[in-house]
PDB file of all heavy atoms in Angstrom:
ATOM      1  N   LEU A   1      98.067 118.023 115.940  1.00 98.00           N
ATOM      2  CA  LEU A   1      99.472 117.685 115.730  1.00 98.00           C
ATOM      3  C   LEU A   1      99.696 116.274 116.262  1.00 98.00           C
ATOM      4  O   LEU A   1      98.999 115.841 117.191  1.00 98.00           O
ATOM      5  CB  LEU A   1     100.408 118.651 116.461  1.00 98.00           C
ATOM      6  CG  LEU A   1     100.625 120.044 115.898  1.00 98.00           C
ATOM      7  CD1 LEU A   1     101.453 120.867 116.880  1.00 98.00           C
ATOM      8  CD2 LEU A   1     101.297 119.997 114.540  1.00 98.00           C
ATOM      9  N   ARG A   2     100.690 115.596 115.696  1.00 98.00           N
ATOM     10  CA  ARG A   2     101.096 114.314 116.250  1.00 98.00           C
ATOM     11  C   ARG A   2     102.583 114.371 116.570  1.00 98.00           C
ATOM     12  O   ARG A   2     103.403 114.590 115.680  1.00 98.00           O
ATOM     13  CB  ARG A   2     100.823 113.155 115.300  1.00 98.00           C
ATOM     14  CG  ARG A   2     101.072 111.804 115.968  1.00 98.00           C
ATOM     15  CD  ARG A   2     100.729 110.623 115.106  1.00 98.00           C
ATOM     16  NE  ARG A   2     101.783 110.279 114.160  1.00 98.00           N
ATOM     17  CZ  ARG A   2     101.986 109.062 113.682  1.00 98.00           C
ATOM     18  NH1 ARG A   2     101.193 108.065 114.057  1.00 98.00           N
ATOM     19  NH2 ARG A   2     102.952 108.840 112.814  1.00 98.00           N
ATOM     20  N   LEU A   3     102.893 114.177 117.826  1.00 98.00           N
ATOM     21  CA  LEU A   3     104.279 114.130 118.271  1.00 98.00           C
ATOM     22  C   LEU A   3     104.766 112.683 118.240  1.00 98.00           C
ATOM     23  O   LEU A   3     104.007 111.759 118.529  1.00 98.00           O
ATOM     24  CB  LEU A   3     104.413 114.682 119.683  1.00 98.00           C
ATOM     25  CG  LEU A   3     103.865 116.084 119.932  1.00 98.00           C
ATOM     26  CD1 LEU A   3     104.154 116.506 121.379  1.00 98.00           C
ATOM     27  CD2 LEU A   3     104.435 117.084 118.955  1.00 98.00           C
ATOM     28  N   SER A   4     106.034 112.533 117.908  1.00 98.00           N
ATOM     29  CA  SER A   4     106.672 111.224 117.918  1.00 98.00           C
ATOM     30  C   SER A   4     107.934 111.283 118.770  1.00 98.00           C
ATOM     31  O   SER A   4     108.590 112.325 118.845  1.00 98.00           O
ATOM     32  CB  SER A   4     107.049 110.793 116.493  1.00 98.00           C
ATOM     33  OG  SER A   4     105.919 110.710 115.658  1.00 98.00           O
ATOM     34  N   CYS A   5     108.266 110.164 119.370  1.00 98.00           N
ATOM     35  CA  CYS A   5     109.490 110.058 120.164  1.00 98.00           C
ATOM     36  C   CYS A   5     110.102 108.698 119.888  1.00 98.00           C
ATOM     37  O   CYS A   5     109.502 107.670 120.210  1.00 98.00           O
ATOM     38  CB  CYS A   5     109.174 110.228 121.635  1.00 98.00           C
ATOM     39  SG  CYS A   5     110.562 109.849 122.739  1.00 98.00           S
ATOM     40  N   VAL A   6     111.278 108.712 119.285  1.00 98.00           N
ATOM     41  CA  VAL A   6     111.993 107.480 118.995  1.00 98.00           C
ATOM     42  C   VAL A   6     113.032 107.240 120.083  1.00 98.00           C
ATOM     43  O   VAL A   6     113.848 108.122 120.369  1.00 98.00           O
ATOM     44  CB  VAL A   6     112.666 107.544 117.618  1.00 98.00           C
ATOM     45  CG1 VAL A   6     113.407 106.246 117.338  1.00 98.00           C
ATOM     46  CG2 VAL A   6     111.639 107.811 116.528  1.00 98.00           C
ATOM     47  N   ALA A   7     112.974 106.071 120.677  1.00 97.00           N
ATOM     48  CA  ALA A   7     113.854 105.733 121.790  1.00 97.00           C
ATOM     49  C   ALA A   7     114.913 104.719 121.369  1.00 97.00           C
ATOM     50  O   ALA A   7     114.686 103.886 120.492  1.00 97.00           O
ATOM     51  CB  ALA A   7     113.030 105.159 122.940  1.00 97.00           C
ATOM     52  N   SER A   8     116.059 104.797 122.004  1.00 96.00           N
ATOM     53  CA  SER A   8     117.113 103.823 121.768  1.00 96.00           C
ATOM     54  C   SER A   8     117.979 103.731 123.017  1.00 96.00           C
ATOM     55  O   SER A   8     118.020 104.652 123.833  1.00 96.00           O
ATOM     56  CB  SER A   8     117.960 104.222 120.559  1.00 96.00           C
ATOM     57  OG  SER A   8     118.570 105.478 120.751  1.00 96.00           O
ATOM     58  N   GLY A   9     118.662 102.590 123.158  1.00 94.00           N
ATOM     59  CA  GLY A   9     119.607 102.429 124.256  1.00 94.00           C
ATOM     60  C   GLY A   9     119.052 101.828 125.524  1.00 94.00           C
ATOM     61  O   GLY A   9     119.779 101.720 126.516  1.00 94.00           O
ATOM     62  N   PHE A  10     117.761 101.464 125.516  1.00 91.00           N
ATOM     63  CA  PHE A  10     117.193 100.794 126.683  1.00 91.00           C
ATOM     64  C   PHE A  10     116.046  99.905 126.192  1.00 91.00           C
ATOM     65  O   PHE A  10     115.552 100.074 125.078  1.00 91.00           O
ATOM     66  CB  PHE A  10     116.711 101.808 127.728  1.00 91.00           C
ATOM     67  CG  PHE A  10     115.583 102.704 127.288  1.00 91.00           C
ATOM     68  CD1 PHE A  10     114.265 102.387 127.575  1.00 91.00           C
ATOM     69  CD2 PHE A  10     115.839 103.871 126.584  1.00 91.00           C
ATOM     70  CE1 PHE A  10     113.222 103.209 127.179  1.00 91.00           C
ATOM     71  CE2 PHE A  10     114.806 104.709 126.176  1.00 91.00           C
ATOM     72  CZ  PHE A  10     113.495 104.370 126.475  1.00 91.00           C
ATOM     73  N   PRO A  11     115.601  98.951 127.030  1.00 92.00           N
ATOM     74  CA  PRO A  11     114.565  98.007 126.599  1.00 92.00           C
ATOM     75  C   PRO A  11     113.197  98.668 126.521  1.00 92.00           C
ATOM     76  O   PRO A  11     112.406  98.623 127.466  1.00 92.00           O
ATOM     77  CB  PRO A  11     114.623  96.906 127.645  1.00 92.00           C
ATOM     78  CG  PRO A  11     115.213  97.552 128.842  1.00 92.00           C
ATOM     79  CD  PRO A  11     116.162  98.580 128.358  1.00 92.00           C
ATOM     80  N   PHE A  12     112.915  99.265 125.388  1.00 94.00           N
ATOM     81  CA  PHE A  12     111.709 100.070 125.205  1.00 94.00           C
ATOM     82  C   PHE A  12     110.443  99.298 125.544  1.00 94.00           C
ATOM     83  O   PHE A  12     109.527  99.829 126.155  1.00 94.00           O
ATOM     84  CB  PHE A  12     111.660 100.566 123.759  1.00 94.00           C
ATOM     85  CG  PHE A  12     110.462 101.406 123.438  1.00 94.00           C
ATOM     86  CD1 PHE A  12     110.455 102.764 123.749  1.00 94.00           C
ATOM     87  CD2 PHE A  12     109.336 100.859 122.836  1.00 94.00           C
ATOM     88  CE1 PHE A  12     109.357 103.548 123.460  1.00 94.00           C
ATOM     89  CE2 PHE A  12     108.238 101.636 122.537  1.00 94.00           C
ATOM     90  CZ  PHE A  12     108.246 102.987 122.853  1.00 94.00           C
ATOM     91  N   ARG A  13     110.396  98.035 125.172  1.00 94.00           N
ATOM     92  CA  ARG A  13     109.159  97.261 125.288  1.00 94.00           C
ATOM     93  C   ARG A  13     108.628  97.234 126.722  1.00 94.00           C
ATOM     94  O   ARG A  13     107.422  97.199 126.929  1.00 94.00           O
ATOM     95  CB  ARG A  13     109.407  95.839 124.781  1.00 94.00           C
ATOM     96  CG  ARG A  13     108.187  94.946 124.732  1.00 94.00           C
ATOM     97  CD  ARG A  13     108.560  93.590 124.158  1.00 94.00           C
ATOM     98  NE  ARG A  13     109.077  93.711 122.794  1.00 94.00           N
ATOM     99  CZ  ARG A  13     108.320  93.725 121.719  1.00 94.00           C
ATOM    100  NH1 ARG A  13     107.002  93.609 121.829  1.00 94.00           N
ATOM    101  NH2 ARG A  13     108.859  93.824 120.529  1.00 94.00           N
ATOM    102  N   ILE A  14     109.521  97.247 127.704  1.00 92.00           N
ATOM    103  CA  ILE A  14     109.062  97.147 129.085  1.00 92.00           C
ATOM    104  C   ILE A  14     109.102  98.487 129.815  1.00 92.00           C
ATOM    105  O   ILE A  14     108.791  98.569 131.006  1.00 92.00           O
ATOM    106  CB  ILE A  14     109.881  96.109 129.877  1.00 92.00           C
ATOM    107  CG1 ILE A  14     111.364  96.512 129.952  1.00 92.00           C
ATOM    108  CG2 ILE A  14     109.724  94.727 129.267  1.00 92.00           C
ATOM    109  CD1 ILE A  14     112.173  95.605 130.870  1.00 92.00           C
ATOM    110  N   ALA A  15     109.478  99.527 129.105  1.00 95.00           N
ATOM    111  CA  ALA A  15     109.581 100.843 129.742  1.00 95.00           C
ATOM    112  C   ALA A  15     108.219 101.521 129.825  1.00 95.00           C
ATOM    113  O   ALA A  15     107.388 101.393 128.916  1.00 95.00           O
ATOM    114  CB  ALA A  15     110.540 101.728 128.957  1.00 95.00           C
ATOM    115  N   ALA A  16     108.010 102.247 130.893  1.00 97.00           N
ATOM    116  CA  ALA A  16     106.862 103.145 130.980  1.00 97.00           C
ATOM    117  C   ALA A  16     107.229 104.433 130.271  1.00 97.00           C
ATOM    118  O   ALA A  16     108.274 105.020 130.552  1.00 97.00           O
ATOM    119  CB  ALA A  16     106.514 103.421 132.434  1.00 97.00           C
ATOM    120  N   MET A  17     106.388 104.861 129.356  1.00 98.00           N
ATOM    121  CA  MET A  17     106.669 106.061 128.571  1.00 98.00           C
ATOM    122  C   MET A  17     105.642 107.136 128.888  1.00 98.00           C
ATOM    123  O   MET A  17     104.507 106.843 129.296  1.00 98.00           O
ATOM    124  CB  MET A  17     106.636 105.737 127.072  1.00 98.00           C
ATOM    125  CG  MET A  17     107.631 104.666 126.637  1.00 98.00           C
ATOM    126  SD  MET A  17     109.350 105.105 126.965  1.00 98.00           S
ATOM    127  CE  MET A  17     109.535 106.572 125.923  1.00 98.00           C
ATOM    128  N   ALA A  18     106.048 108.361 128.692  1.00 98.00           N
ATOM    129  CA  ALA A  18     105.144 109.462 129.017  1.00 98.00           C
ATOM    130  C   ALA A  18     105.493 110.694 128.204  1.00 98.00           C
ATOM    131  O   ALA A  18     106.601 110.814 127.676  1.00 98.00           O
ATOM    132  CB  ALA A  18     105.222 109.796 130.507  1.00 98.00           C
ATOM    133  N   TRP A  19     104.532 111.568 128.109  1.00 98.00           N
ATOM    134  CA  TRP A  19     104.740 112.901 127.566  1.00 98.00           C
ATOM    135  C   TRP A  19     104.502 113.914 128.688  1.00 98.00           C
ATOM    136  O   TRP A  19     103.494 113.817 129.404  1.00 98.00           O
ATOM    137  CB  TRP A  19     103.802 113.184 126.403  1.00 98.00           C
ATOM    138  CG  TRP A  19     104.163 112.469 125.146  1.00 98.00           C
ATOM    139  CD1 TRP A  19     103.650 111.285 124.699  1.00 98.00           C
ATOM    140  CD2 TRP A  19     105.124 112.893 124.177  1.00 98.00           C
ATOM    141  NE1 TRP A  19     104.231 110.937 123.509  1.00 98.00           N
ATOM    142  CE2 TRP A  19     105.131 111.918 123.163  1.00 98.00           C
ATOM    143  CE3 TRP A  19     105.956 114.007 124.040  1.00 98.00           C
ATOM    144  CZ2 TRP A  19     105.958 112.009 122.040  1.00 98.00           C
ATOM    145  CZ3 TRP A  19     106.777 114.098 122.934  1.00 98.00           C
ATOM    146  CH2 TRP A  19     106.779 113.102 121.946  1.00 98.00           C
ATOM    147  N   TYR A  20     105.426 114.855 128.808  1.00 98.00           N
ATOM    148  CA  TYR A  20     105.307 115.968 129.732  1.00 98.00           C
ATOM    149  C   TYR A  20     105.290 117.256 128.912  1.00 98.00           C
ATOM    150  O   TYR A  20     105.667 117.268 127.748  1.00 98.00           O
ATOM    151  CB  TYR A  20     106.510 116.004 130.684  1.00 98.00           C
ATOM    152  CG  TYR A  20     106.498 114.990 131.790  1.00 98.00           C
ATOM    153  CD1 TYR A  20     106.678 113.631 131.528  1.00 98.00           C
ATOM    154  CD2 TYR A  20     106.346 115.379 133.124  1.00 98.00           C
ATOM    155  CE1 TYR A  20     106.687 112.700 132.550  1.00 98.00           C
ATOM    156  CE2 TYR A  20     106.354 114.454 134.148  1.00 98.00           C
ATOM    157  CZ  TYR A  20     106.527 113.129 133.853  1.00 98.00           C
ATOM    158  OH  TYR A  20     106.537 112.208 134.885  1.00 98.00           O
ATOM    159  N   ARG A  21     104.897 118.324 129.548  1.00 98.00           N
ATOM    160  CA  ARG A  21     105.001 119.627 128.894  1.00 98.00           C
ATOM    161  C   ARG A  21     105.351 120.701 129.917  1.00 98.00           C
ATOM    162  O   ARG A  21     105.044 120.571 131.111  1.00 98.00           O
ATOM    163  CB  ARG A  21     103.708 119.996 128.165  1.00 98.00           C
ATOM    164  CG  ARG A  21     102.482 120.216 129.047  1.00 98.00           C
ATOM    165  CD  ARG A  21     101.256 120.428 128.173  1.00 98.00           C
ATOM    166  NE  ARG A  21     100.041 120.608 128.964  1.00 98.00           N
ATOM    167  CZ  ARG A  21      98.816 120.665 128.456  1.00 98.00           C
ATOM    168  NH1 ARG A  21      98.641 120.554 127.134  1.00 98.00           N
ATOM    169  NH2 ARG A  21      97.769 120.835 129.239  1.00 98.00           N
ATOM    170  N   GLN A  22     105.993 121.727 129.399  1.00 98.00           N
ATOM    171  CA  GLN A  22     106.398 122.853 130.253  1.00 98.00           C
ATOM    172  C   GLN A  22     106.124 124.147 129.517  1.00 98.00           C
ATOM    173  O   GLN A  22     106.732 124.418 128.469  1.00 98.00           O
ATOM    174  CB  GLN A  22     107.882 122.740 130.617  1.00 98.00           C
ATOM    175  CG  GLN A  22     108.342 123.779 131.606  1.00 98.00           C
ATOM    176  CD  GLN A  22     109.712 123.475 132.170  1.00 98.00           C
ATOM    177  OE1 GLN A  22     110.492 122.714 131.594  1.00 98.00           O
ATOM    178  NE2 GLN A  22     110.025 124.046 133.323  1.00 98.00           N
ATOM    179  N   ALA A  23     105.210 124.921 130.060  1.00 96.00           N
ATOM    180  CA  ALA A  23     104.910 126.244 129.520  1.00 96.00           C
ATOM    181  C   ALA A  23     105.862 127.256 130.136  1.00 96.00           C
ATOM    182  O   ALA A  23     106.419 127.021 131.216  1.00 96.00           O
ATOM    183  CB  ALA A  23     103.466 126.603 129.814  1.00 96.00           C
ATOM    184  N   PRO A  24     106.044 128.408 129.491  1.00 91.00           N
ATOM    185  CA  PRO A  24     106.957 129.424 130.014  1.00 91.00           C
ATOM    186  C   PRO A  24     106.584 129.828 131.436  1.00 91.00           C
ATOM    187  O   PRO A  24     105.417 130.121 131.728  1.00 91.00           O
ATOM    188  CB  PRO A  24     106.778 130.578 129.030  1.00 91.00           C
ATOM    189  CG  PRO A  24     106.355 129.930 127.771  1.00 91.00           C
ATOM    190  CD  PRO A  24     105.509 128.778 128.172  1.00 91.00           C
ATOM    191  N   GLY A  25     107.554 129.802 132.321  1.00 94.00           N
ATOM    192  CA  GLY A  25     107.335 130.216 133.692  1.00 94.00           C
ATOM    193  C   GLY A  25     106.635 129.205 134.567  1.00 94.00           C
ATOM    194  O   GLY A  25     106.304 129.507 135.723  1.00 94.00           O
ATOM    195  N   LYS A  26     106.402 128.011 134.031  1.00 96.00           N
ATOM    196  CA  LYS A  26     105.692 126.987 134.795  1.00 96.00           C
ATOM    197  C   LYS A  26     106.549 125.734 134.927  1.00 96.00           C
ATOM    198  O   LYS A  26     107.535 125.562 134.227  1.00 96.00           O
ATOM    199  CB  LYS A  26     104.361 126.653 134.124  1.00 96.00           C
ATOM    200  CG  LYS A  26     103.391 127.821 134.091  1.00 96.00           C
ATOM    201  CD  LYS A  26     102.021 127.396 133.604  1.00 96.00           C
ATOM    202  CE  LYS A  26     101.035 128.542 133.656  1.00 96.00           C
ATOM    203  NZ  LYS A  26      99.681 128.130 133.210  1.00 96.00           N
ATOM    204  N   GLN A  27     106.138 124.861 135.834  1.00 97.00           N
ATOM    205  CA  GLN A  27     106.883 123.638 136.023  1.00 97.00           C
ATOM    206  C   GLN A  27     106.516 122.631 134.937  1.00 97.00           C
ATOM    207  O   GLN A  27     105.516 122.783 134.246  1.00 97.00           O
ATOM    208  CB  GLN A  27     106.583 123.050 137.397  1.00 97.00           C
ATOM    209  CG  GLN A  27     105.148 122.554 137.580  1.00 97.00           C
ATOM    210  CD  GLN A  27     104.908 121.992 138.971  1.00 97.00           C
ATOM    211  OE1 GLN A  27     105.625 122.302 139.923  1.00 97.00           O
ATOM    212  NE2 GLN A  27     103.900 121.163 139.108  1.00 97.00           N
ATOM    213  N   ARG A  28     107.345 121.633 134.796  1.00 98.00           N
ATOM    214  CA  ARG A  28     107.095 120.560 133.847  1.00 98.00           C
ATOM    215  C   ARG A  28     106.063 119.596 134.450  1.00 98.00           C
ATOM    216  O   ARG A  28     106.263 119.092 135.551  1.00 98.00           O
ATOM    217  CB  ARG A  28     108.390 119.825 133.520  1.00 98.00           C
ATOM    218  CG  ARG A  28     108.276 118.837 132.394  1.00 98.00           C
ATOM    219  CD  ARG A  28     109.629 118.191 132.085  1.00 98.00           C
ATOM    220  NE  ARG A  28     110.631 119.171 131.682  1.00 98.00           N
ATOM    221  CZ  ARG A  28     111.854 118.832 131.258  1.00 98.00           C
ATOM    222  NH1 ARG A  28     112.188 117.549 131.163  1.00 98.00           N
ATOM    223  NH2 ARG A  28     112.723 119.774 130.925  1.00 98.00           N
ATOM    224  N   ASP A  29     104.992 119.348 133.731  1.00 98.00           N
ATOM    225  CA  ASP A  29     103.918 118.500 134.230  1.00 98.00           C
ATOM    226  C   ASP A  29     103.636 117.348 133.263  1.00 98.00           C
ATOM    227  O   ASP A  29     103.772 117.505 132.045  1.00 98.00           O
ATOM    228  CB  ASP A  29     102.623 119.308 134.400  1.00 98.00           C
ATOM    229  CG  ASP A  29     102.704 120.295 135.546  1.00 98.00           C
ATOM    230  OD1 ASP A  29     103.320 119.957 136.581  1.00 98.00           O
ATOM    231  OD2 ASP A  29     102.147 121.405 135.404  1.00 98.00           O
ATOM    232  N   VAL A  30     103.193 116.247 133.821  1.00 98.00           N
ATOM    233  CA  VAL A  30     102.847 115.105 132.990  1.00 98.00           C
ATOM    234  C   VAL A  30     101.563 115.373 132.225  1.00 98.00           C
ATOM    235  O   VAL A  30     100.634 116.016 132.730  1.00 98.00           O
ATOM    236  CB  VAL A  30     102.717 113.821 133.850  1.00 98.00           C
ATOM    237  CG1 VAL A  30     101.573 113.949 134.830  1.00 98.00           C
ATOM    238  CG2 VAL A  30     102.604 112.589 132.985  1.00 98.00           C
ATOM    239  N   VAL A  31     101.528 114.898 130.989  1.00 98.00           N
ATOM    240  CA  VAL A  31     100.351 115.031 130.138  1.00 98.00           C
ATOM    241  C   VAL A  31      99.658 113.683 129.966  1.00 98.00           C
ATOM    242  O   VAL A  31      98.449 113.570 130.120  1.00 98.00           O
ATOM    243  CB  VAL A  31     100.740 115.586 128.760  1.00 98.00           C
ATOM    244  CG1 VAL A  31      99.536 115.613 127.819  1.00 98.00           C
ATOM    245  CG2 VAL A  31     101.354 116.972 128.886  1.00 98.00           C
ATOM    246  N   ALA A  32     100.459 112.671 129.643  1.00 98.00           N
ATOM    247  CA  ALA A  32      99.900 111.338 129.388  1.00 98.00           C
ATOM    248  C   ALA A  32     100.983 110.295 129.617  1.00 98.00           C
ATOM    249  O   ALA A  32     102.168 110.577 129.396  1.00 98.00           O
ATOM    250  CB  ALA A  32      99.364 111.237 127.966  1.00 98.00           C
ATOM    251  N   THR A  33     100.555 109.111 130.055  1.00 98.00           N
ATOM    252  CA  THR A  33     101.487 108.012 130.276  1.00 98.00           C
ATOM    253  C   THR A  33     100.961 106.741 129.622  1.00 98.00           C
ATOM    254  O   THR A  33      99.743 106.566 129.462  1.00 98.00           O
ATOM    255  CB  THR A  33     101.695 107.746 131.772  1.00 98.00           C
ATOM    256  OG1 THR A  33     100.473 107.279 132.347  1.00 98.00           O
ATOM    257  CG2 THR A  33     102.148 108.995 132.504  1.00 98.00           C
TER     258      THR A  33
END
């Protein structure tokens, strides 16, 4: 699968971006930055 995230309202070019995930009953954890 390929996930996409379109951002607006802040200076995207200099922002650090990341993907997190949260499984049922678990905390939200970082996947990739």
Side-chain angles (χ1 to χ4, degrees):
L1 285 173
R2 188 176 82 153
L3 305 183
S4 300
C5 171
V6 180
S8 60
F10 64 95
F12 180 83
R13 185 178 299 273
I14 62 173
M17 301 300 297
W19 286 96
Y20 284 70
R21 65 186 178 188
Q22 186 168 20
K26 296 188 176 181
Q27 67 180 22
R28 189 177 299 186
D29 290 323
V30 64
V31 175
T33 66

